[in-house]
Amino acid sequence: METFADLTFLKTFTAGDSEKIKKYVNLFLNGTEPALAAIKLSLETSDWKALRTAAHSLKSQTKYMGIARAEELAIFIEHNAAQVSNLDQLPEAVQNLENVISRASEELRSHIAGL
């Protein structure tokens, strides 16, 4: 089974404190839905500056949760929105980002339930 989230960084950052891990994972889980909504709205309205900003914000969050594939997609979206390039590839990248975040979020929920 493919794993989407690697909490190595978070565990080091929190010195393995399960309450802090839960706190940061919950912040991530609560923040991703609005971030993805902003990304999708920006894409739909062709607001490339807002898309770049939203992808940049989500990129940082995915990095802390060790969701490498989501981070790569966010970088791709951020870069191309900033350059207003490869616009035909952005809808698929956004959909893939949403899928990866969804799968990683399930993993994270399971992880903190076991803490």
mmCIF file of all heavy atoms in Angstrom, residues 36-54:
data_model
loop_
_atom_site.group_PDB
_atom_site.id
_atom_site.type_symbol
_atom_site.label_atom_id
_atom_site.label_comp_id
_atom_site.label_asym_id
_atom_site.label_seq_id
_atom_site.Cartn_x
_atom_site.Cartn_y
_atom_site.Cartn_z
ATOM 1 N N LEU A 36 -7.468 24.209 -0.487
ATOM 2 C CA LEU A 36 -7.834 23.583 -1.763
ATOM 3 C C LEU A 36 -8.988 24.332 -2.427
ATOM 4 O O LEU A 36 -9.002 24.485 -3.657
ATOM 5 C CB LEU A 36 -8.191 22.114 -1.555
ATOM 6 C CG LEU A 36 -7.006 21.188 -1.294
ATOM 7 C CD1 LEU A 36 -7.485 19.815 -0.841
ATOM 8 C CD2 LEU A 36 -6.115 21.068 -2.519
ATOM 9 N N ALA A 37 -9.924 24.817 -1.637
ATOM 10 C CA ALA A 37 -11.041 25.594 -2.196
ATOM 11 C C ALA A 37 -10.513 26.872 -2.852
ATOM 12 O O ALA A 37 -10.962 27.250 -3.941
ATOM 13 C CB ALA A 37 -12.059 25.935 -1.108
ATOM 14 N N ALA A 38 -9.545 27.520 -2.212
ATOM 15 C CA ALA A 38 -8.950 28.734 -2.782
ATOM 16 C C ALA A 38 -8.205 28.422 -4.071
ATOM 17 O O ALA A 38 -8.278 29.187 -5.049
ATOM 18 C CB ALA A 38 -8.006 29.379 -1.767
ATOM 19 N N ILE A 39 -7.514 27.303 -4.100
ATOM 20 C CA ILE A 39 -6.794 26.897 -5.307
ATOM 21 C C ILE A 39 -7.773 26.644 -6.454
ATOM 22 O O ILE A 39 -7.581 27.125 -7.567
ATOM 23 C CB ILE A 39 -5.914 25.658 -5.019
ATOM 24 C CG1 ILE A 39 -4.701 26.076 -4.181
ATOM 25 C CG2 ILE A 39 -5.483 24.958 -6.301
ATOM 26 C CD1 ILE A 39 -3.864 24.931 -3.672
ATOM 27 N N LYS A 40 -8.838 25.898 -6.162
ATOM 28 C CA LYS A 40 -9.816 25.580 -7.221
ATOM 29 C C LYS A 40 -10.524 26.838 -7.715
ATOM 30 O O LYS A 40 -10.717 26.999 -8.927
ATOM 31 C CB LYS A 40 -10.813 24.540 -6.724
ATOM 32 C CG LYS A 40 -10.166 23.173 -6.532
ATOM 33 C CD LYS A 40 -11.142 22.051 -6.307
ATOM 34 C CE LYS A 40 -11.849 22.156 -4.996
ATOM 35 N NZ LYS A 40 -12.668 20.979 -4.667
ATOM 36 N N LEU A 41 -10.905 27.725 -6.810
ATOM 37 C CA LEU A 41 -11.570 28.966 -7.209
ATOM 38 C C LEU A 41 -10.642 29.833 -8.054
ATOM 39 O O LEU A 41 -11.054 30.377 -9.084
ATOM 40 C CB LEU A 41 -12.052 29.745 -5.979
ATOM 41 C CG LEU A 41 -12.734 31.084 -6.283
ATOM 42 C CD1 LEU A 41 -14.004 30.870 -7.112
ATOM 43 C CD2 LEU A 41 -13.046 31.820 -4.992
ATOM 44 N N SER A 42 -9.393 29.941 -7.634
ATOM 45 C CA SER A 42 -8.416 30.734 -8.392
ATOM 46 C C SER A 42 -8.211 30.169 -9.786
ATOM 47 O O SER A 42 -8.092 30.920 -10.753
ATOM 48 C CB SER A 42 -7.077 30.774 -7.645
ATOM 49 O OG SER A 42 -7.238 31.352 -6.383
ATOM 50 N N LEU A 43 -8.181 28.850 -9.891
ATOM 51 C CA LEU A 43 -8.040 28.214 -11.201
ATOM 52 C C LEU A 43 -9.263 28.499 -12.062
ATOM 53 O O LEU A 43 -9.131 28.889 -13.229
ATOM 54 C CB LEU A 43 -7.830 26.707 -11.044
ATOM 55 C CG LEU A 43 -7.696 25.909 -12.337
ATOM 56 C CD1 LEU A 43 -6.454 26.326 -13.115
ATOM 57 C CD2 LEU A 43 -7.656 24.415 -12.029
ATOM 58 N N GLU A 44 -10.450 28.327 -11.487
ATOM 59 C CA GLU A 44 -11.698 28.553 -12.237
ATOM 60 C C GLU A 44 -11.823 29.981 -12.739
ATOM 61 O O GLU A 44 -12.362 30.218 -13.822
ATOM 62 C CB GLU A 44 -12.908 28.215 -11.361
ATOM 63 C CG GLU A 44 -13.077 26.742 -11.091
ATOM 64 C CD GLU A 44 -14.118 26.456 -10.005
ATOM 65 O OE1 GLU A 44 -14.878 27.379 -9.631
ATOM 66 O OE2 GLU A 44 -14.169 25.304 -9.536
ATOM 67 N N THR A 45 -11.330 30.940 -11.947
ATOM 68 C CA THR A 45 -11.462 32.357 -12.311
ATOM 69 C C THR A 45 -10.211 32.891 -13.014
ATOM 70 O O THR A 45 -10.128 34.092 -13.290
ATOM 71 C CB THR A 45 -11.755 33.213 -11.062
ATOM 72 O OG1 THR A 45 -10.683 33.050 -10.122
ATOM 73 C CG2 THR A 45 -13.075 32.822 -10.432
ATOM 74 N N SER A 46 -9.254 32.002 -13.275
ATOM 75 C CA SER A 46 -7.991 32.382 -13.924
ATOM 76 C C SER A 46 -7.269 33.502 -13.176
ATOM 77 O O SER A 46 -6.642 34.365 -13.780
ATOM 78 C CB SER A 46 -8.226 32.796 -15.388
ATOM 79 O OG SER A 46 -8.828 31.758 -16.108
ATOM 80 N N ASP A 47 -7.353 33.469 -11.858
ATOM 81 C CA ASP A 47 -6.648 34.438 -11.019
ATOM 82 C C ASP A 47 -5.297 33.820 -10.665
ATOM 83 O O ASP A 47 -5.134 33.173 -9.637
ATOM 84 C CB ASP A 47 -7.473 34.745 -9.759
ATOM 85 C CG ASP A 47 -6.860 35.843 -8.910
ATOM 86 O OD1 ASP A 47 -5.653 36.138 -9.074
ATOM 87 O OD2 ASP A 47 -7.593 36.392 -8.057
ATOM 88 N N TRP A 48 -4.325 34.032 -11.556
ATOM 89 C CA TRP A 48 -3.037 33.345 -11.449
ATOM 90 C C TRP A 48 -2.261 33.793 -10.218
ATOM 91 O O TRP A 48 -1.574 32.979 -9.599
ATOM 92 C CB TRP A 48 -2.226 33.537 -12.725
ATOM 93 C CG TRP A 48 -3.024 33.182 -13.937
ATOM 94 C CD1 TRP A 48 -3.281 33.977 -15.017
ATOM 95 C CD2 TRP A 48 -3.732 31.951 -14.193
ATOM 96 N NE1 TRP A 48 -4.091 33.318 -15.909
ATOM 97 C CE2 TRP A 48 -4.382 32.083 -15.442
ATOM 98 C CE3 TRP A 48 -3.891 30.759 -13.484
ATOM 99 C CZ2 TRP A 48 -5.164 31.070 -15.996
ATOM 100 C CZ3 TRP A 48 -4.679 29.752 -14.029
ATOM 101 C CH2 TRP A 48 -5.295 29.907 -15.273
ATOM 102 N N LYS A 49 -2.372 35.059 -9.848
ATOM 103 C CA LYS A 49 -1.671 35.548 -8.662
ATOM 104 C C LYS A 49 -2.219 34.860 -7.403
ATOM 105 O O LYS A 49 -1.458 34.400 -6.552
ATOM 106 C CB LYS A 49 -1.805 37.065 -8.541
ATOM 107 C CG LYS A 49 -1.028 37.638 -7.386
ATOM 108 C CD LYS A 49 -1.119 39.151 -7.329
ATOM 109 C CE LYS A 49 -0.331 39.667 -6.130
ATOM 110 N NZ LYS A 49 -0.419 41.105 -6.002
ATOM 111 N N ALA A 50 -3.532 34.780 -7.282
ATOM 112 C CA ALA A 50 -4.149 34.118 -6.127
ATOM 113 C C ALA A 50 -3.831 32.620 -6.132
ATOM 114 O O ALA A 50 -3.612 32.024 -5.070
ATOM 115 C CB ALA A 50 -5.656 34.342 -6.128
ATOM 116 N N LEU A 51 -3.791 32.019 -7.312
ATOM 117 C CA LEU A 51 -3.460 30.600 -7.416
ATOM 118 C C LEU A 51 -2.032 30.362 -6.948
ATOM 119 O O LEU A 51 -1.766 29.428 -6.190
ATOM 120 C CB LEU A 51 -3.643 30.110 -8.856
ATOM 121 C CG LEU A 51 -3.318 28.638 -9.104
ATOM 122 C CD1 LEU A 51 -4.155 27.721 -8.220
ATOM 123 C CD2 LEU A 51 -3.525 28.298 -10.576
ATOM 124 N N ARG A 52 -1.130 31.219 -7.377
ATOM 125 C CA ARG A 52 0.266 31.101 -6.949
ATOM 126 C C ARG A 52 0.370 31.200 -5.429
ATOM 127 O O ARG A 52 1.019 30.384 -4.779
ATOM 128 C CB ARG A 52 1.133 32.183 -7.594
ATOM 129 C CG ARG A 52 2.613 32.017 -7.260
ATOM 130 C CD ARG A 52 3.413 33.295 -7.434
ATOM 131 N NE ARG A 52 3.013 34.339 -6.512
ATOM 132 C CZ ARG A 52 3.355 34.398 -5.212
ATOM 133 N NH1 ARG A 52 4.073 33.456 -4.665
ATOM 134 N NH2 ARG A 52 2.958 35.397 -4.454
ATOM 135 N N THR A 53 -0.302 32.171 -4.850
ATOM 136 C CA THR A 53 -0.256 32.382 -3.402
ATOM 137 C C THR A 53 -0.840 31.196 -2.640
ATOM 138 O O THR A 53 -0.251 30.724 -1.656
ATOM 139 C CB THR A 53 -1.013 33.679 -3.038
ATOM 140 O OG1 THR A 53 -0.396 34.775 -3.730
ATOM 141 C CG2 THR A 53 -0.990 33.935 -1.553
ATOM 142 N N ALA A 54 -1.980 30.702 -3.098
ATOM 143 C CA ALA A 54 -2.634 29.569 -2.417
ATOM 144 C C ALA A 54 -1.784 28.304 -2.514
ATOM 145 O O ALA A 54 -1.654 27.554 -1.542
ATOM 146 C CB ALA A 54 -4.024 29.337 -2.998
#
